[in-house]
Amino acid sequence: MDADMKWFSHDSDAHSNPDLEMLIDKWGWDWYGRWWALVEMVAHQVKDGNLTFALQTNDGSPTPVQRLSNKLGTTVQRLTNFCQFLADNRLIDAEQWDTKKLISIPN
């Protein structure tokens, strides 16, 4: 097991959450999986000294969408559209996305 592996819990019926049902209806199950991949990436970065709950590089700047799109197997444009959907539906912080293109997941 990876020494850096972290665990976070989520409800086993998360797919029944109205916001996530809307995501599934509009984007499909593969994008629901990409949503959870983003959540996992954010959770992996949370440490005692870093409680930002955001995808940032070591210097604190937003993780480039190009890098994320490569990891998630999609295009920059499609991921950008998806993140805008997430922001519009309160699944990521809209202000952080709109101003910095930072994927920040509020508690």
Side-chain angles (χ1 to χ4, degrees):
M1 182 183 309
D2 184 346
D4 291 335
M5 181 180 278
K6 297 179 183 117
W7 291 93
F8 69 95
S9 64
H10 75 275
D11 294 334
S12 61
D13 64 348
H15 63 279
S16 297
N17 173 291
D19 291 330
L20 295 179
E21 283 182 333
M22 185 172 31
L23 182 154
I24 294 164
D25 289 346
K26 177 154 178 67
W27 290 86
W29 285 100
D30 54 333
W31 283 91
Y32 176 73
R34 286 182 175 98
W35 158 250
W36 282 111
L38 289 171
V39 171
E40 290 171 356
M41 288 181 214
V42 168
H44 184 75
Q45 289 194 344
V46 174
K47 296 175 177 61
D48 287 337
N50 179 22
L51 300 176
T52 60
F53 298 92
L55 285 178
Q56 298 174 311
T57 62
N58 289 338
D59 69 3
S61 62
T63 301
V65 176
Q66 175 68 47
R67 185 177 310 150
L68 293 173
S69 67
N70 289 340
K71 283 185 174 187
L72 296 172
T74 189
T75 65
V76 169
Q77 186 61 53
R78 189 85 168 126
L79 183 57
T80 300
N81 292 344
F82 181 64
C83 288
Q84 189 61 56
F85 170 85
L86 296 175
D88 291 344
N89 290 283
R90 303 169 323 277
L91 292 167
I92 64 174
D93 184 292
E95 182 180 346
Q96 294 292 323
W97 174 255
D98 292 339
T99 60
K100 301 177 188 175
K101 296 303 180 230
L102 176 65
I103 296 173
S104 176
I105 301 176
N107 292 346

